Amino acid sequence: MGKIKKRLRNISIRKSFVIYMAVFLLCAILLSGLITKTVDIASESIKSSYSPKEAGRYYLTTEDGKQLGNGADIVIQYETVQYSPQDKWALFVLDILRFISVPFSFAMCIGTAAMLFYRNKLRIPLAVLNTASEKIAADDLDFSVEYDSKDEMGRLCTSFEKMRGVLEKNNREMWRSMEERKRLNAAFAHDLRTPLTVLRGYSEFLSTHLAADTVSKEKVLSTVHTIRGQIGRLESYVQNISAIQRLEEIQPQPQMVALSDVQQAFQEISNIVREDKKVCFAPLTQKSEMISIDLDLALQVFENLMSNAVRYAKEKIDIVIRTDNHLLKVTVYDDGKGFSAEALKNATQPFYRADNKRDKLHFGLGLYICKILCEKHGGSLLLSNVSTKGACITAVFHYGSSFSKIDKKLIVE
C-alpha cells in the first residue's frame, strides 16, 4: 500500500489531473444514469398503480354507415388520469430529479475530484513552502524543506531547499566576514597602542626637555630615530590592513595543471626561501594527474608556509603533496619544537604572535592570510604537532567544479 501511494505521489501534476478528471467524469456518467434509471422506475411504479380506462368497442363502416364485422375492443390510457395530491407531488419531484441528474452528477464528481486532487497533490507541498517562506522572511534559515515526491511540487520544494541552502551559506559567510573584520579591527587597534604610546611619550619628552634645553643633541637624534621607526611600523600596519582587505576581494581563477607542475613550482619557491634549511619533497603518487586550481593563489599560500617553517625549523623541512576526493593537500613539516597549545588555537588569528623574539619581528599575519586564501579556494588550513617532526601545517584546496565550503571531516580524513 505504501509503495502504491509513493508511486501515485510521484506522478506529475498534469497526469494526476487528467487521471482524476477521467475517473470522476466516468463516475459522473454512471451516477447520472443511475439517478435517471431510479427516477424512471419510481415514476412508472406510481403511474402503474392507476388502472387504464376503456374507450368502448369500435367498428369499421362503409360509406353509407353500414357496420362491418364484429368490431374490436381498444384500450386507451387517457392523459387526464386523476392522481392523488401526494402522487402528483412525487411525480413532480421525480421530473425535477430527472432534469437535474446530469448537471448535478457532473458538478458533484468534478468538485470531489478537485478536492481530492488538491488534498493529495497540492495541500502538503504548499503548506511546506508557505512555512519555509515565513521562516526565511523572519531570517530563520536553520531548517530544511522536505517533501518526498518527484512531481513538479517535489522539484519545486527541492529548488526551494537549494535556495535556502545558498542563502544560509551566504549568511554564514557574511557573518564570518563581519566577525573576521571585527577581530581584525580589534587586533589592529590593540597593536596600534604600543607605537602610539611610544610616540606620545617621546613627544612629551621632547616638548618638555627641548623647551628647558636640558637634553643633548645626541639624545634628540636618538629620540627622532625611534619616532621614525615607530612611524614606519604604523605605515607597515596600514599596508598590511590594506593587503588583507584586498584578499577579501580575491576570487580564484582555476586552470588545469599537472600535479607534477604544481610540485615543481613549489620546489622553486622553496629554493628561494629555505635559507640554510634542508627541504625534502615526498615523491608524488600520480605525477600526471590533472587538477583545476589557481596556481598563483596556491603558491602564495605555500610561500607563507615555507617562510613560517624556515623561521622555526632546526635543520629540515619535509613537504608532502597529495590529492584525495577533489582535494589538494599540501603538508609542511618542520623539526622545530612545534606549536604551543595557545598557538594551535590562535595562530591563524590576525596579529597573533607568540612570546618569543622571533615572533616579535613580524606582524603575525602569515597564517591568517593562508587561512583566508585556502577558504577562498573552498578548503581550510589545519595546524597540528607531530611527535617525530615537530610542527605540521596542512593547506587544503578544493579543485572541483565549485569552491563551496566543504565538510571539515572530509578535510581531516
Side-chain angles (χ1 to χ4, degrees):
M1 191 67 179
K3 290 183 178 180
I4 295 176
K5 287 184 177 180
K6 189 173 182 180
R7 288 181 180 177
L8 291 175
R9 182 181 292 181
N10 290 334
I11 297 175
S12 70
I13 290 178
R14 182 184 299 176
K15 289 182 179 179
S16 297
F17 181 78
V18 171
I19 291 172
Y20 273 92
M21 287 295 105
V23 170
F24 280 91
L25 285 176
L26 178 61
C27 291
I29 294 172
L30 295 176
L31 180 60
S32 63
L34 179 62
I35 293 174
T36 302
K37 184 65 176 177
T38 303
V39 168
D40 289 342
I41 293 173
S43 180
E44 289 297 325
S45 176
I46 293 173
K47 291 178 179 180
S48 64
S49 63
Y50 292 85
S51 300
K53 295 183 178 180
E54 293 187 359
R57 184 175 294 274
Y58 288 82
Y59 300 90
L60 296 175
T61 62
T62 61
E63 294 181 356
D64 56 1
K66 184 177 179 179
Q67 181 176 321
L68 297 175
N70 295 324
D73 294 330
I74 298 177
V75 179
I76 300 176
Q77 176 67 42
Y78 288 91
E79 295 182 357
T80 57
V81 176
Q82 298 297 318
Y83 297 106
S84 66
Q86 294 83 358
D87 289 340
K88 189 180 294 185
W89 173 251
L91 289 172
F92 175 73
V93 172
L94 290 174
D95 287 339
I96 293 176
L97 288 178
R98 183 183 294 107
F99 178 75
I100 67 172
S101 62
V102 173
F104 171 77
S105 300
F106 277 81
M108 188 178 70
C109 289
I110 290 174
T112 303
M115 182 185 67
L116 292 176
F117 176 77
Y118 173 79
R119 190 188 70 177
N120 295 333
K121 299 295 291 184
L122 300 178
R123 181 173 61 87
I124 295 177
L126 287 177
V128 169
L129 292 174
N130 183 60
T131 301
S133 63
E134 289 177 354
K135 288 186 176 182
I136 291 175
D139 202 21
D140 177 14
L141 298 174
D142 188 17
F143 69 98
S144 60
V145 181
E146 296 181 356
Y147 178 64
D148 184 18
S149 174
K150 296 180 181 179
D151 64 2
E152 292 87 343
M153 296 304 294
R155 292 196 293 272
L156 179 59
C157 288
T158 301
S159 300
F160 213 89
E161 170 61 17
K162 290 180 180 179
M163 180 188 72
R164 183 208 62 81
V166 172
L167 287 174
E168 184 182 22
K169 175 193 168 186
N170 292 339
N171 219 15
R172 285 200 309 266
E173 288 295 323
M174 181 183 69
W175 281 108
R176 184 195 65 79
S177 179
M178 291 176 62
E179 290 299 319
E180 288 287 344
R181 188 62 56 84
K182 286 180 181 179
R183 286 197 295 268
L184 185 62
N185 291 339
F188 182 58
H190 179 271
D191 275 22
L192 278 180
R193 293 176 185 174
T194 300
L196 288 175
T197 301
V198 172
L199 290 174
R200 183 182 296 109
Y202 278 113
S203 64
E204 292 176 355
F205 170 81
L206 290 176
S207 61
T208 300
H209 291 280
L210 283 177
D213 197 19
T214 56
V215 62
S216 65
K217 183 178 179 180
E218 290 77 11
K219 183 63 176 177
V220 171
L221 291 174
S222 175
T223 302
V224 171
H225 179 73
T226 303
I227 291 174
R228 185 181 298 165
Q230 294 301 321
I231 291 174
R233 188 172 181 82
L234 288 175
E235 290 176 345
S236 297
Y237 270 117
V238 172
Q239 291 174 359
N240 279 281
I241 290 295
S242 299
I244 291 174
Q245 290 177 343
R246 287 194 297 270
L247 287 177
E248 291 289 345
E249 300 172 358
I250 288 179
Q251 293 300 325
Q253 303 295 326
Q255 293 182 347
M256 296 302 296
V257 59
L259 191 60
S260 58
D261 293 336
V262 174
Q263 177 162 304
Q264 182 179 353
F266 285 174
Q267 287 175 335
E268 293 174 357
I269 293 291
S270 66
N271 291 334
I272 296 173
V273 302
R274 70 180 183 178
E275 297 179 358
D276 59 341
K277 304 300 189 298
K278 182 180 178 181
V279 178
C280 297
F281 280 81
L284 292 175
T285 56
Q286 295 180 339
K287 293 184 178 181
S288 59
E289 181 180 358
M290 300 296 292
I291 61 175
S292 178
I293 192 172
D294 188 329
L295 186 57
D296 292 334
L297 186 148
L299 289 176
Q300 187 174 351
V301 172
F302 181 73
E303 183 177 355
N304 278 319
L305 296 185
M306 277 297 302
S307 298
N308 189 81
V310 168
R311 187 181 303 120
Y312 295 103
K314 295 178 181 177
E315 298 178 352
K316 185 180 178 183
I317 298 172
D318 292 314
I319 300 169
V320 178
I321 302 173
R322 60 191 177 95
T323 58
D324 181 29
N325 291 325
H326 295 286
L327 301 176
L328 172 66
K329 300 181 180 180
V330 181
T331 305
V332 178
Y333 301 90
D334 67 70
D335 59 353
K337 64 179 183 179
F339 293 106
S340 64
E342 180 187 6
L344 283 174
K345 183 179 179 182
N346 300 315
T348 57
Q349 299 302 316
F351 298 110
Y352 173 79
R353 294 189 297 271
D355 293 330
N356 56 58
K357 292 182 179 180
R358 290 174 180 174
D359 278 353
K360 293 299 182 183
L361 299 177
H362 64 94
F363 292 108
L365 291 172
L367 295 183
Y368 175 70
I369 291 173
C370 291
K371 174 190 171 186
I372 291 178
L373 294 178
C374 288
E375 290 176 349
K376 286 286 184 180
H377 218 296
S380 183
L381 188 71
L382 307 175
L383 279 62
S384 62
N385 287 321
V386 180
S387 58
T388 57
K389 295 184 178 181
C392 168
I393 304 179
T394 300
V396 182
F397 305 93
H398 186 259
Y399 60 86
S401 58
S402 66
F403 299 121
S404 58
K405 199 73 173 180
I406 50 180
D407 190 352
K408 196 167 184 179
K409 293 181 180 179
L410 185 62
I411 295 176
V412 175
E413 289 176 354

